[in-house]
Amino acid sequence: MTILRPDDPGLVPDSDHEAVTLTSVVPAGADAKDRAERLVAVAERAVPGLRDRLLWQEVRTPADIAAETGAAGGAVPAPALAAAGGRLLHASNSTRLTGLFTAGGWSHPGGGLPHAGMSGALVAGLVVEGPGFRGSQ
């Protein structure tokens, strides 16, 4: 689960609320609405009283993702994990073809909006600084 809590006052509805985005990928066949309720309960550990202040909630299933994005089966990239000897990491941003790079959820560092943005920043660094680029120093 990812909990995003921007601290910019311009991004909140009013002084009694804050912007919180909960994101989680659930196993196929799971009851999405039940999982969403459980996520809110877990998120309340980090944001006490969250449920009472909830103004809006959206539960998206793989069918919703497929209909809106065209991603086969509503596929969402799994998170990249550094364990298991690197077997759970996403593909490198560099490819065998010189000048061809990959960015987005299926490339390093993995799925989710923050990671997709990081992926684009890494590719920009590779384009500008070359193959020796290793991220911000």
Side-chain angles (χ1 to χ4, degrees):
M1 173 172 55
T2 303
I3 302 174
L4 302 177
R5 297 175 70 187
D7 59 2
D8 180 347
L11 298 176
V12 299
D14 57 49
S15 61
D16 293 328
H17 294 89
E18 60 189 304
V20 177
T21 302
L22 303 177
T23 307
S24 178
V25 178
V26 299
D31 180 341
K33 292 196 186 300
D34 177 61
R35 288 292 178 125
E37 286 300 314
R38 289 171 48 195
L39 278 175
V40 171
V42 170
E44 281 191 300
R45 294 179 196 160
V47 186
L50 174 65
R51 186 180 310 276
D52 296 334
R53 296 182 297 132
L54 190 64
L55 297 178
W56 176 73
Q57 178 180 9
E58 181 177 348
V59 176
R60 299 176 57 113
T61 67
D64 298 324
I65 302 297
E68 292 185 27
T69 68
V76 174
L81 303 172
R87 290 188 313 274
L88 303 176
L89 295 174
H90 289 279
S92 169
N93 304 102
S94 301
T95 68
R96 285 187 257 167
L97 296 173
T98 301
L100 177 64
F101 302 97
T102 63
W106 297 102
S107 297
H108 177 73
L113 288 177
H115 290 151
M118 285 185 249
S119 179
L122 289 169
V123 167
L126 289 167
V127 168
V128 172
E129 298 192 21
F133 178 70
R134 296 290 180 255
S136 61
Q137 302 293 319

